[in-house]
Amino acid sequence: MEIKTREEWEQIMPKDKWNSQCPLCIESELVIWKWKHWFIYYNKYPICGIDKHLMASPINHVIYTKDLTKEQWWEFKDVQDFMKNFFKTWSYFSFIREDLDSRSLEHLHYHFVPGIFKYNHLENIIENQ
């Protein structure tokens, strides 16, 4: 797996990200686990180059969390179990960007990143918007 930078993603990211072929709808070599409704994969363009930055997405093209089916929500517990096992004793956090303006892709995707997300960092992010 070749990890690339966020800057590289920004250079190749489709300008019409909502109309182009969705890269998450295409089977990828980065997929490490797949269920009926979800798949988990390495982020090819991880935050800060973190090689254990994983993402989880519904297999079908879902845009908002509110659009997930009951079956997808039920199966999401398997995603959480996988992440707990993957990160083992490491601390990790997860996040999504729910609005389309802050996303690089339309397809819903959850980020799982090793580390501790501290409350004061969240305050700084909000204050600097």
Side-chain angles (χ1 to χ4, degrees):
M1 171 185 76
E2 182 183 358
I3 298 295
K4 300 189 179 231
T5 66
R6 294 301 293 179
E7 291 79 19
E8 289 175 291
W9 168 249
E10 289 168 5
Q11 290 174 1
I12 67 160
M13 183 174 66
K15 301 298 180 225
D16 64 338
K17 60 184 172 181
W18 316 129
N19 297 317
S20 295
Q21 175 64 42
C22 176
L24 298 182
C25 289
I26 301 168
E27 188 70 31
S28 168
E29 76 279 1
L30 301 175
V31 172
I32 58 174
W33 196 257
K34 190 173 182 178
W35 290 271
K36 183 177 179 184
H37 299 288
W38 290 90
F39 64 103
I40 295 173
Y41 50 98
Y42 284 99
N43 186 341
K44 189 172 185 173
Y45 303 94
I47 296 170
C48 301
I50 298 170
D51 64 347
K52 290 183 175 38
H53 178 167
L54 298 183
M55 294 179 20
S57 294
I59 291 172
N60 63 319
H61 192 93
V62 173
I63 298 173
Y64 297 107
T65 302
K66 70 177 183 61
D67 297 326
L68 292 170
T69 66
K70 289 179 184 177
E71 292 81 13
Q72 288 168 318
W73 273 117
W74 183 253
E75 194 175 85
F76 191 71
K77 71 176 185 57
D78 295 329
V79 170
Q80 293 171 321
D81 288 344
F82 179 93
M83 294 303 177
K84 184 176 180 179
N85 186 49
F86 178 84
F87 287 107
K88 294 184 173 94
T89 59
W90 298 330
S91 294
Y92 69 98
F93 62 96
S94 63
F95 66 93
I96 61 167
R97 294 180 174 127
E98 192 64 44
D99 71 302
L100 294 180
D101 290 339
S102 67
R103 287 194 213 166
S104 59
L105 296 170
E106 182 182 68
H107 196 133
L108 181 68
H109 53 287
Y110 288 79
H111 296 262
F112 294 85
V113 182
I116 298 172
F117 190 79
K118 297 185 178 177
Y119 180 75
N120 62 339
H121 292 157
L122 179 60
E123 286 179 334
N124 290 337
I125 291 169
I126 292 171
E127 287 174 2
N128 291 315
Q129 291 293 315

